[in-house]
Amino acid sequence: MVAPEPPVRRVPLKRFAHLKRHLPVPLTVLVTTVLALTVGAPALAVPQGRLPKSFERRVGVWLTNSPSPLYYDATRIETAVAQLDAAGFNTLYPNVWSRGATFHRSRWAPLEPALARSNPGLDPICRFTKAAHRRGMQVIPWFEYGLMEPADAEVVERNPEWVLRRSDGSALYAMHGANLKTSPLRDLRVWLNPAHPGVRARFIGLIKEIVQRCSVDGIQLDDHFAWPVELGYDPYTRALYLADTGREPPTNFNDRYWMKWRRQQLTALLRELRATLQEVGGPRRTVISLSPGPFRFAYNHWLQDWELWALGELVDDLIVQNYAYSVKGFSRDLDQPALVKARRWGMPVEIGILSGFGGRTPDMATLEQKVRLSAARGHGVIFFYWEGLWGQHAGPEGAAFRQAAFRRLNREVFGGR
């Protein structure tokens, strides 16, 4: 068992200069820039969206419509929230933005087709929120698709200039088992340009809309809030880069200055989102949660600089996905350098754990070891996903056994009811 680390207090940004000694050399330059920009800036609102004192670490679960019938029935939603509350969970992460659609009537995007057919007035995210708030739980909707869209989405057809492109002019991605040569267009993906004002207005509008409609406690972005490194050769980005630098974009998409410039565009969108949510929330700080991939991969492939985002208080909460199947591999990944540094900063960090999906459902003995290893390092835990806890992917142990086991485990480790 790993001994718990002592608690750390999160210090104001202007006092973060001493942390530069923990950063790689390229980041120290960036942090210096951030510190210079924030000197004399007004203090941020007190984050009243934080967890109540009765539970200081998040014990949460991602909820989604695929594959699950949960989103289409009001009774299922109420029952699920009641069961999660009884089992000691305190935070829900329902998917609100997926495959180019929302789960409510939106001015920015179409309603998810299955919900539109079955129960268009259900409004599952607001239902989750009301049911959770009655029980003292928090709700942080998950914007799964981020800046990614189905290639045949209406927004893509109407606004082709919003789409990021490779140097050869191509834009399509094959994700989640799709094939560029054989898959239909609806199963392929494109990425919208975070530097384009139309994309920025739509992205922030989608998030602001759900925050205001449902009074949620925060929002979550993941590794799809990104700028894939090989993209950026579309006419809009080329013109913007030329105007900013006086040069054409380098043909090498791994050119460090070119990468830095594009990362700055993504960071600027996150900064604009932070300011918008501060205006919407007033004195109540709306949490921005981020669930990225491992830092080096995220930094070099998706242009996500989440270390700097954490230092700059652009995100309030990190969920680092650790889906290693073996306990040994899981334990090793808990000590990756970026996680160790995040603990030093005092940034709340949760570990994403696979509870069950498809043919992969760890037994409760394995899940218990992973939870205890995470908690011993001061982390909360978030499970992927709802149906893997005690639902249709509960495995041979069955729903009743796993539900009781989670209730006992959360009570022992995190002090839940």
Side-chain angles (χ1 to χ4, degrees), residues 195-367:
H196 196 289
V199 174
R200 294 164 76 103
R202 180 174 181 266
F203 180 76
I204 290 175
L206 276 166
I207 293 176
K208 181 179 177 181
E209 181 179 65
I210 199 67
V211 170
Q212 291 180 313
R213 288 182 69 259
C214 297
S215 298
V216 296
D217 301 286
I219 63 97
Q220 183 181 78
L221 307 173
D222 67 7
D223 49 0
H224 295 141
F225 178 73
W227 186 319
V229 69
E230 64 267 33
L231 303 182
Y233 296 93
D234 52 281
Y236 183 86
T237 305
R238 283 181 176 275
L240 185 60
Y241 185 79
L242 180 62
D244 279 359
T245 68
R247 300 190 299 270
E248 288 285 342
T251 55
N252 175 15
F253 55 71
N254 285 316
D255 177 270
R256 289 294 148 178
Y257 187 83
W258 174 221
M259 289 175 68
K260 176 182 177 182
W261 183 88
R262 287 174 291 164
R263 276 196 300 268
Q264 289 172 337
Q265 309 309 308
L266 189 63
T267 298
L269 174 55
L270 182 59
R271 188 177 291 113
E272 185 177 344
L273 174 62
R274 172 84 280 170
T276 299
L277 293 182
Q278 192 171 341
E279 292 175 5
V280 171
R284 175 185 174 274
R285 184 174 173 91
T286 302
V287 169
I288 296 181
S289 172
L290 181 71
S291 181
F295 177 73
R296 280 297 161 200
F297 186 87
Y299 189 80
N300 289 317
H301 292 268
W302 298 118
L303 301 180
Q304 288 187 318
D305 194 354
W306 61 257
E307 284 192 349
L308 189 62
W309 297 350
L311 282 170
E313 296 190 344
L314 296 179
V315 298
D316 304 292
D317 181 79
L318 284 174
I319 300 177
V320 179
Q321 301 164 38
N322 186 343
Y323 295 156
Y325 198 71
S326 72
V327 173
K328 182 178 180 181
F330 180 89
S331 180
R332 181 177 60 250
D333 288 349
L334 286 177
D335 293 322
Q336 60 180 278
L339 257 179
V340 173
K341 280 187 279 190
R343 290 197 290 266
R344 291 173 183 160
W345 302 334
M347 166 68 64
V349 179
E350 286 80 48
I351 304 301
I353 299 175
L354 180 68
S355 58
F357 182 78
R360 289 185 62 186
T361 300
D363 59 34
M364 283 306 304
T366 299
L367 289 175

Side-chain angles (χ1 to χ4, degrees), residues 35-100:
L35 292 171
L37 289 172
T38 54
V39 171
L44 292 172
V46 176
Q48 295 180 359
R50 297 292 191 193
L51 290 167
K53 290 295 183 181
S54 59
F55 48 90
E56 294 186 354
R57 285 181 287 186
R58 295 194 187 278
V59 184
V61 61
W62 280 290
L63 307 109
T64 177
N65 68 312
S66 178
S68 174
L70 180 62
Y71 272 51
Y72 307 101
D73 183 88
T75 301
R76 286 182 185 272
I77 290 173
E78 186 69 31
T79 300
V81 176
Q83 289 178 351
L84 289 165
D85 177 45
F89 287 79
N90 57 43
T91 310
L92 309 182
Y93 296 86
N95 190 0
V96 67
W97 169 238
S98 180
R99 295 174 177 84

